[in-house]
Amino acid sequence: MLSNKTTSSAVRSAINALQHYKVLNTLTNDCFDKALETEQQLSIEKKNNSPLYGRPILIKDNFCLRDTLTTCASKMLANFRAPYTSTIVQRLIDHGCIIVGKTNMDEFAMGVASWGAFGPVANPWSLTKTTMTNVENNKTVLHVAGGSSGGSAAAVAANFVSIALGSDTGGSIRNPAARCGCYGFKPSYGLLSRLGMVALVNSFDSPGFFARNIDDLIFATNAVAGPDDEDATLLSKPFENFKTSNELSKEKKKIIIGLPDDYDVNTLSSEYRLCWQDLVHRLTETGEYTFKRVQLPYTPYSNAAYTILSSCEIASNMARYDGIKYGHHTKNIDKNKDTYEDILKKTRDESLGERVRGRILAGNYYLLEENYDKYFVQSQRVRRGVMNDYKKVFEEDKIDCLLAPVVSNDPITLAEYEQADDIFSEDDIFTVGANLAGLPALSFPVRLSSKGFPIGLQLIGPFLKDQELLSTAYRICSTYQFPFLDLTKQI
Amino acid sequence: MAATAAAAVLSSGRFYALIGFEIHVKLATHSKMFSSSSSAPAQTTNSQVTPFDMALPGSLPYFNRTCLEAGIRAALGLNCQLNKISHFERKHYFYPDSPAGYQITQQRYPFASNGVFHYPLLIKKDKLKSSTKYKFVDNQNSFVIKQCRIERIQLEHDTGRSIHDDHQNRTLIDLNRFGTGLIEIVTKPDIQSSLEGESFLRELNRLLIKYNICEQSGLETAVRVDANVSLHRMNTKPDGNRIEIKNLGSFIDVRQAIDFEIKRQEQLLTNNYSIKNETRTYDTNKYQTIHLRRKEDQIDYRFMIEPNLPPLYLYDDNDKHIYGKNFVNIDDIKRNIPISPLDERKQYLDKYKDFLTAEHLHELLRLDMIDYFRDVMTHLDNNHLRHIALEVLLSDVKSISYDGRKIRKFAQAVSPILFADIIKHLEKRIITRFSLYTLLTLCNKSRDSTRSLKSFLDEHNMYAINDENELEKICLKILEENPKQIDRYKTNPKKALEQLHTSVCKKYHGRIHDDLVNDVFKRLLDKRIK
């Protein structure tokens, strides 16, 4: 244990907290030594004007950082040290951020429990439940932190760091943000470079941030957004920084918020529905908001379309993992018998988890010549339907943004999750729409449930109206106080 | 011989062949199609590999503009329709030289389609008469021009290179080649024989080099060909089945593989077997095609739109919104494209019509000498000299270059300037016509292509003997050594002169002008008689 030389070392505090709360399993691997070195260097060098200068941050372990393990919580990449740094991460480093470690996640970002090859992330709120202990071993019962960016969400929610980087393909930022009780922002597709972010579904993947206030989301996004001449899917227009709460005009125009009927599904618990309704009432009372019920008729099909399209791209993106260039390679080789195909099969069987293999299998099925039209192309048509639903609501019905749930009930325990059999979560219905349409979406905590877990909601905005979305979120969240967790106080 | 067997099959009138090609052309660009690494050939193993080239997690493709421009030039040269919107797709299969497990190509939506390419049939006219049902155009100034329709052209990248090490039972992978830009040209099955096939490919090769689409380099083959061949009974409709022969590396291989297939399929049809879809490979040692896989084993490549590359939009002068922006404009490229080989040859026929016929040009084409011819012509300033040059090219040079097979080596050793110089010397009678073969052979063998003509002539003493006195002395000596001929001259002057001529030429290899020496002998002998 390194001794605490300077009392005001932000990095040291982060390290202490992360080590103290190892039980939450938020990290796959750490960069503690380098972080402390960097902090020293930055304090000597000339400070740049970035509000992020000197801030310790965490990045999800599917972002490449040069010479650092980038595992995607998979056995396949357990030994993979990236020879390059992703654009987003490099821009954060250039702004003076100090990377303290890589956060735990679902294997290759598939799932809603952040349970990969290195075990699950635990919801930090589990530790506040002193009444919940396991009868058998007297240990605290742990709950899922959501996924797939659970490690980043948990660390921010518990105040180990103030900002963490994640990725959202079907809800992987918004879901854990809602479960852990912090802000999670997925910008419009095409604003943030995906170079160096291990691809899950290229068409839907979006890097994004967790924070404890909206201004920090803005600082972080401003530091990284904009064109990258190595990512052909980005908008080529130069990026204009988002304005923070201070910079925005104080004039408050009336905001029209849509409530999608199609998101009010049976699986939504009455407690979580009530939270949604209560917020609507409260905001209506301020006189600054009008709420309209809106229809998104393609919603029931969006999950199927998402499932098919994502499986196809996943099967394709996973084809590179053969152990020849990097990553896990089987040692179980019969030199006299094994062909290239045999070795390939063993390598992938041994190192890719069950969920990953399931998606690959499904994707390869949908991509067969005879199935392509029926599944892939048809799903793209449904996707266009989903996009047009949103477009119509925003443009014709003049809606500024939508307010909707993110998850339907309190998180289950890790033990319950292990027993469960389902591959897909019913909660996906709330989040995949924004990914299919490339829209900006922001998850924010509202209040605690009766069992003491955060209940979060999300705002979904029109394409490229990220600034308006952030401003609206700020305004809404200023009308109440959410009891953010701070586990560092107890060290 | 497969060639005669195949020709017999086709000329029997009982069968016809349908042949189409899938041609992979390596684009002559500095960097690769989707990454910034260099595409230079023959570099240190695995030294030209970016994260994308080795499919590192998180790597992304970025399309290289010069590859698009080269592709458009090919499409224009092949008279294709340019599709203003096209898409990149992933073609999935597992193989060690394909790091991502897929290749980026254009399967369903290629950028160019529906073209047609005209090419001259390369055959000696006398052979043409005897071979099957070709329309023989009995016109001095025309070629037999055939056409082949182009189905599509697609942009894609090359795979890495596998090096099989049988001693240590392993395969080594070099990714330098992975990602280099290719276009694949797919023709319709308009080719009807191996001769047509070779003629088509040769003309296509000329176009690709002239339009700077691929390079003619000795380090790597820029063009790889797969041939689809099916034979059918005359008056029956094709059923769509065909044999695919993969990876033919040279014009000769293409010809031999097609001829072998035609004969093989004829055997099958004659014995009442039908042709089923099959993929075969060509064995260059045994001159045979060999089975690789059947239709049932054909791979489903699970094509999927490439999500990391937006649709490819092409623009032309009509798209006003691109003015001032740096987008690729098809019409711009059209304006700057060189003249086609076909049109260029028409120009030569016109420019040099005093002495150049279509037959000459045809022979030059067949010998792969067009470029050399063009260059030599520019170094000679009158048609008389040019005519002489042409004659020498089509006789001595044709022979020395092994019927054109080694013409590239010849052109390097004997530069067009040197050759032109030789012709000028010949015209001035500084050297004789008979010395040319030896002289050219010497120049061709020399390693130093900058040596002056004078140094060759000096070293080997090849100057013609033009001095009358010296010639007379030589002739007198010959007469002394050949008294029989003196006598013979009285009864058979023609034969005697011939023999004397032979003798003097034997002694003074290539330094004797026929007309001069004949006159001298005649004069001396006539004097004797008197």
Side-chain angles (χ1 to χ4, degrees):
Chain A
M1 263 257 208
L2 297 157
S3 67
N4 187 359
K5 286 254 162 80
T6 47
T7 48
S8 61
S9 165
V11 172
R12 172 97 319 241
S13 309
I15 293 173
N16 287 344
L18 285 161
Q19 285 177 325
H20 187 91
Y21 288 102
K22 262 219 172 88
V23 66
L24 294 180
N25 202 17
T26 54
L27 298 185
T28 50
N29 52 87
D30 68 70
C31 315
F32 292 161
D33 291 342
K34 184 139 199 298
L36 288 166
E37 266 177 49
T38 311
E39 191 177 39
Q40 287 271 46
Q41 277 176 347
L42 289 184
S43 62
I44 299 169
E45 286 168 11
K46 240 173 54 180
K47 192 183 195 311
N48 71 33
N49 288 329
S50 175
L52 300 174
Y53 196 87
R55 279 232 228 170
I57 64 168
L58 294 171
I59 61 180
K60 187 174 178 183
D61 205 13
N62 61 348
F63 285 87
C64 288
L65 175 61
R66 185 192 293 273
D67 299 332
T68 311
L69 289 173
T70 300
T71 69
C72 299
S74 176
K75 269 201 220 146
M76 170 48 84
L77 294 179
N79 64 355
F80 173 65
R81 276 181 200 277
Y84 73 120
T85 300
S86 52
T87 300
I88 299 277
V89 174
Q90 187 57 53
R91 289 177 182 178
L92 288 169
I93 293 173
D94 292 342
H95 273 256
C97 290
I98 303 170
I99 300 171
V100 179
K102 311 294 274 329
T103 57
N104 201 358
M105 48 188 279
D106 282 297
E107 184 177 2
F108 281 113
M110 289 180 233
V112 287
S114 300
W115 196 329
F118 306 128
V121 176
N123 195 316
W125 292 84
S126 300
L127 301 183
T128 63
K129 315 267 165 291
T130 44
T131 51
M132 271 195 195
T133 42
N134 187 312
V135 179
E136 280 154 15
N137 58 14
N138 218 31
K139 276 195 177 153
T140 319
V141 176
L142 297 174
H143 303 79
V144 295
S148 61
S149 316
S152 286
V156 167
N159 202 22
F160 302 159
V161 290
S162 56
I163 294 177
L165 176 63
S167 70
D168 190 314
T169 304
S172 293
I173 287 179
R174 292 163 285 156
N175 177 296
R179 289 242 180 267
C180 294
C182 64
Y183 294 101
F185 175 46
K186 179 196 98 63
S188 294
Y189 184 90
L191 280 185
L192 264 53
S193 168
R194 290 182 296 113
L195 184 82
M197 186 183 102
V198 181
L200 177 63
V201 184
N202 297 285
S203 304
F204 306 149
D205 287 345
S206 179
F209 290 100
F210 297 95
R212 296 166 71 81
N213 61 68
I214 294 189
D215 279 348
D216 273 351
L217 288 180
I218 292 175
F219 292 142
T221 310
N222 282 348
V224 301
D228 175 6
D229 58 16
E230 295 195 69
D231 182 343
T233 59
L234 293 181
L235 298 154
S236 51
K237 219 169 48 147
F239 174 72
E240 244 180 69
N241 275 4
F242 296 140
K243 295 192 167 60
T244 59
S245 48
N246 292 339
E247 297 161 322
L248 285 169
S249 84
K250 294 298 174 201
E251 170 211 327
K252 294 202 173 178
K253 85 176 224 310
K254 196 138 186 179
I255 296 185
I256 307 172
I257 299 186
L259 302 171
D261 272 343
D262 303 273
Y263 282 31
D264 191 355
V265 291
N266 292 339
T267 47
L268 188 61
S269 71
S270 33
E271 186 173 16
Y272 278 54
R273 183 180 291 107
L274 192 60
C275 173
W276 187 13
Q277 288 166 345
D278 281 349
L279 184 63
V280 173
H281 289 319
R282 204 156 17 89
L283 292 176
T284 311
E285 275 166 13
T286 66
E288 294 169 17
Y289 303 88
T290 310
F291 289 91
K292 270 198 203 165
R293 286 169 57 178
V294 297
Q295 317 308 318
L296 301 170
Y298 272 89
T299 304
Y301 309 105
S302 57
N303 234 351
Y306 174 82
T307 303
I308 290 168
L309 293 175
S310 60
S311 302
C312 290
E313 284 203 34
I314 289 168
S316 178
N317 290 332
M318 294 289 141
R320 67 191 59 204
Y321 298 114
D322 56 14
I324 295 177
K325 303 100 46 191
Y326 50 79
H328 174 80
H329 192 289
T330 182
K331 295 200 168 48
N332 176 19
I333 301 175
D334 181 344
K335 281 214 162 124
N336 298 319
K337 198 169 64 93
D338 279 342
T339 62
Y340 161 69
E341 278 87 11
D342 291 330
I343 296 176
L344 190 61
K345 274 189 228 167
K346 285 189 203 172
T347 294
R348 287 161 70 85
D349 269 347
E350 287 168 13
S351 60
L352 296 176
E354 199 179 334
R355 171 177 275 119
V356 174
R357 283 182 279 136
R359 297 279 176 97
I360 294 173
L361 196 62
N364 281 330
Y365 173 75
Y366 297 135
L367 287 178
L368 289 174
E369 179 84 40
E370 74 223 31
N371 290 335
Y372 187 71
D373 234 16
K374 264 194 297 189
Y375 291 101
F376 186 90
V377 179
Q378 185 67 353
S379 299
Q380 295 284 14
R381 295 189 188 105
V382 171
R383 180 183 175 196
R384 189 169 53 209
V386 168
M387 283 180 69
N388 288 339
D389 274 356
Y390 285 115
K391 218 166 172 225
K392 178 174 177 295
V393 159
F394 291 134
E395 288 173 15
E396 286 176 28
D397 302 345
K398 306 277 186 251
I399 303 288
D400 291 318
C401 61
L402 303 173
L403 176 67
V406 184
V407 293
S408 48
N409 210 341
D410 278 347
I412 53 177
T413 66
L414 294 182
E416 282 170 333
Y417 181 82
E418 250 187 319
Q419 309 296 347
D421 220 2
D422 28 87
I423 309 170
F424 298 106
S425 157
E426 279 155 351
D427 288 347
D428 282 352
I429 198 87
F430 301 125
T431 50
V432 298
N435 296 98
L436 287 170
L439 304 178
L442 193 154
S443 166
F444 58 98
V446 180
R447 68 185 185 206
L448 295 179
S449 70
S450 56
K451 294 219 177 80
F453 286 102
I455 306 180
L457 295 173
Q458 66 173 326
L459 292 174
I460 303 170
F463 184 60
L464 293 185
K465 298 282 185 214
D466 300 55
Q467 170 75 80
E468 290 81 346
L469 190 73
L470 289 159
S471 314
T472 304
Y474 182 82
R475 275 175 64 180
I476 291 176
C477 298
S478 327
T479 64
Y480 64 91
Q481 280 265 33
F482 174 77
F484 284 94
L485 188 60
D486 188 348
L487 291 182
T488 62
K489 293 222 170 81
Q490 297 162 35
I491 301 177
Chain B
M1 250 287 29
T4 28
V9 170
L10 293 177
S11 59
S12 70
R14 292 185 295 126
F15 298 98
Y16 68 95
L18 292 179
I19 301 163
F21 291 121
E22 285 163 25
I23 302 145
H24 292 87
V25 181
K26 188 173 140 93
L27 299 174
T29 57
H30 289 302
S31 48
K32 297 182 178 180
M33 185 171 270
F34 298 113
S35 76
S36 57
S37 42
S38 159
S39 58
Q43 303 300 305
T44 314
T45 316
N46 285 320
S47 63
Q48 290 169 183
V49 180
T50 63
F52 173 77
D53 299 331
M54 62 180 284
L56 279 181
S59 58
L60 294 172
Y62 207 91
F63 189 42
N64 179 344
R65 183 197 176 110
T66 57
C67 290
L68 177 62
E69 290 165 347
I72 293 177
R73 291 197 295 274
L76 292 171
L78 293 171
N79 301 299
C80 289
Q81 151 200 327
L82 278 156
N83 300 320
K84 286 182 121 189
I85 304 179
S86 64
H87 295 275
F88 288 107
E89 290 183 88
R90 294 184 180 180
K91 176 181 183 182
H92 298 91
Y93 62 95
F94 286 101
Y95 202 70
D97 67 12
S98 191
Y102 59 84
Q103 177 202 30
I104 301 180
T105 178
Q106 291 189 306
Q107 177 64 14
R108 297 178 178 99
Y109 308 98
F111 81 104
S113 52
N114 291 336
V116 66
F117 189 53
H118 294 96
Y119 62 96
L121 200 60
L122 289 181
I123 184 172
K124 292 194 172 150
K125 263 214 173 127
D126 49 352
K127 281 220 174 112
L128 190 56
K129 259 186 186 152
S130 64
S131 66
T132 174
K133 67 185 188 95
Y134 294 118
K135 232 168 147 214
F136 178 49
V137 181
D138 198 2
N139 186 336
Q140 185 76 339
N141 261 346
S142 71
F143 288 91
V144 179
I145 301 285
K146 299 236 120 192
Q147 79 173 34
C148 182
R149 289 168 300 164
I150 306 295
E151 167 94 37
R152 70 221 303 265
I153 309 180
Q154 62 201 44
L155 293 155
E156 60 185 38
H157 67 75
D158 209 346
T159 58
R161 206 162 59 101
S162 304
I163 305 159
H164 299 292
D165 180 359
D166 288 324
H167 283 299
Q168 296 196 49
N169 205 20
R170 60 183 185 171
T171 303
L172 305 167
I173 307 292
D174 177 10
L175 291 178
N176 279 353
R177 196 181 71 183
F178 179 87
T180 52
L182 300 174
I183 46 170
E184 179 175 336
I185 302 170
V186 181
T187 75
K188 289 213 197 288
D190 290 349
I191 306 285
Q192 295 176 303
S193 71
S194 64
L195 169 65
E196 287 190 9
E198 184 184 349
S199 306
F200 168 82
L201 290 172
R202 283 193 183 275
E203 182 74 349
L204 178 66
N205 200 42
R206 273 176 225 119
L207 179 81
L208 294 173
I209 292 170
K210 193 163 207 293
Y211 281 23
N212 198 25
I213 294 159
C214 73
E215 270 177 40
Q216 189 176 35
S217 153
L219 296 169
E220 288 191 355
T221 19
V223 177
R224 301 200 297 271
V225 176
D226 295 344
N228 291 312
V229 182
S230 64
L231 194 68
H232 307 272
R233 288 191 193 274
M234 199 58 80
N235 298 322
T236 62
K237 276 215 177 108
D239 55 3
N241 283 333
R242 85 277 297 237
I243 303 300
E244 182 192 18
I245 312 169
K246 291 200 82 66
N247 275 324
L248 299 162
S250 69
F251 296 128
I252 294 181
D253 285 350
V254 172
R255 268 199 96 150
Q256 288 174 336
I258 291 175
D259 284 336
F260 179 85
E261 258 314 288
I262 287 175
K263 186 61 194 164
R264 191 185 73 86
Q265 291 185 24
E266 186 250 355
Q267 293 289 294
L268 291 173
L269 290 177
T270 305
N271 292 319
N272 282 321
Y273 290 110
S274 57
I275 312 292
K276 295 225 170 24
N277 273 347
E278 188 191 335
T279 301
R280 296 173 77 89
T281 183
Y282 181 67
D283 184 332
T284 49
N285 293 322
K286 297 198 181 131
Y287 307 109
Q288 299 177 357
T289 63
I290 300 173
H291 169 80
L292 207 54
R293 54 179 176 264
R294 304 166 302 161
K295 188 197 179 168
E296 295 79 61
D297 303 338
Q298 301 289 9
I299 303 165
D300 186 327
Y301 292 106
R302 289 170 279 121
F303 290 97
M304 179 185 88
I305 291 278
E306 168 60 67
N308 286 318
L309 293 169
L312 188 63
Y313 291 99
L314 296 180
Y315 303 100
D316 57 30
D317 286 343
N318 294 325
D319 296 301
K320 297 198 169 38
H321 64 276
I322 67 155
Y323 287 177
K325 294 195 189 172
N326 194 18
F327 288 162
V328 169
N329 182 337
I330 301 170
D331 288 331
D332 257 349
I333 296 180
K334 218 184 245 186
R335 283 186 278 271
N336 290 320
I337 219 169
I339 189 176
S340 73
L342 198 85
D343 290 336
E344 191 179 50
R345 290 191 297 268
K346 282 195 193 137
Q347 276 188 356
Y348 291 150
L349 282 178
D350 189 53
K351 187 172 182 193
Y352 302 124
K353 59 178 177 288
D354 284 352
F355 61 92
L356 185 70
T357 68
E359 272 192 65
H360 289 138
L361 211 46
H362 185 274
E363 188 68 353
L364 287 170
L365 254 188
R366 196 184 63 78
L367 298 167
D368 212 7
M369 273 191 207
I370 290 278
D371 287 347
Y372 192 70
F373 164 78
R374 173 198 66 209
D375 293 338
V376 165
M377 292 295 110
T378 59
H379 291 295
L380 297 169
D381 52 11
N382 71 63
N383 280 347
H384 177 56
L385 286 170
R386 291 184 184 135
H387 194 172
I388 298 174
L390 176 65
E391 190 266 316
V392 175
L393 284 174
L394 292 179
S395 51
D396 297 66
V397 179
K398 167 175 160 175
S399 175
I400 294 171
S401 69
Y402 295 93
D403 206 42
R405 287 197 295 280
K406 306 264 176 168
I407 188 62
R408 225 159 284 156
K409 196 225 163 228
F410 181 87
Q412 261 185 327
V414 185
S415 72
I417 294 181
L418 176 58
F419 188 85
D421 216 10
I422 293 175
I423 301 300
K424 285 182 206 158
H425 274 58
L426 173 63
E427 201 261 350
K428 294 204 181 88
R429 296 173 64 103
I430 302 173
I431 51 179
T432 71
R433 179 68 184 81
F434 312 103
S435 68
L436 275 198
Y437 191 90
T438 313
L439 179 57
L440 288 169
T441 305
L442 285 168
C443 297
N444 190 30
K445 286 213 176 110
S446 149
R447 298 253 169 115
D448 181 1
S449 57
T450 60
R451 264 183 82 172
S452 71
L453 176 56
K454 187 167 185 300
S455 74
F456 281 109
L457 297 177
D458 286 341
E459 182 183 333
H460 298 280
N461 192 14
M462 300 188 78
Y463 292 98
I465 302 169
N466 284 315
D467 184 332
E468 280 258 359
N469 290 329
E470 198 186 335
L471 201 53
E472 202 174 292
K473 283 203 196 114
I474 290 170
C475 287
L476 282 170
K477 191 86 194 308
I478 296 292
L479 285 175
E480 260 175 54
E481 292 165 0
N482 292 280
K484 260 204 204 147
Q485 303 307 327
I486 304 176
D487 287 330
R488 208 182 191 179
Y489 185 69
K490 295 173 191 156
T491 49
N492 191 351
K494 192 161 171 250
K495 207 53 196 236
L497 282 173
E498 265 177 37
Q499 285 294 82
L500 288 169
H501 175 262
T502 307
S503 302
V504 75
C505 282
K506 251 199 215 158
K507 234 182 171 182
Y508 295 92
H509 303 288
R511 295 181 64 197
I512 304 291
H513 283 298
D514 281 0
D515 48 358
L516 279 185
V517 82
N518 239 33
D519 284 346
V520 172
F521 272 129
K522 243 179 139 183
R523 195 163 32 86
L524 291 175
L525 285 164
D526 284 342
K527 217 158 70 178
R528 277 277 152 118
I529 294 178
K530 284 211 179 99

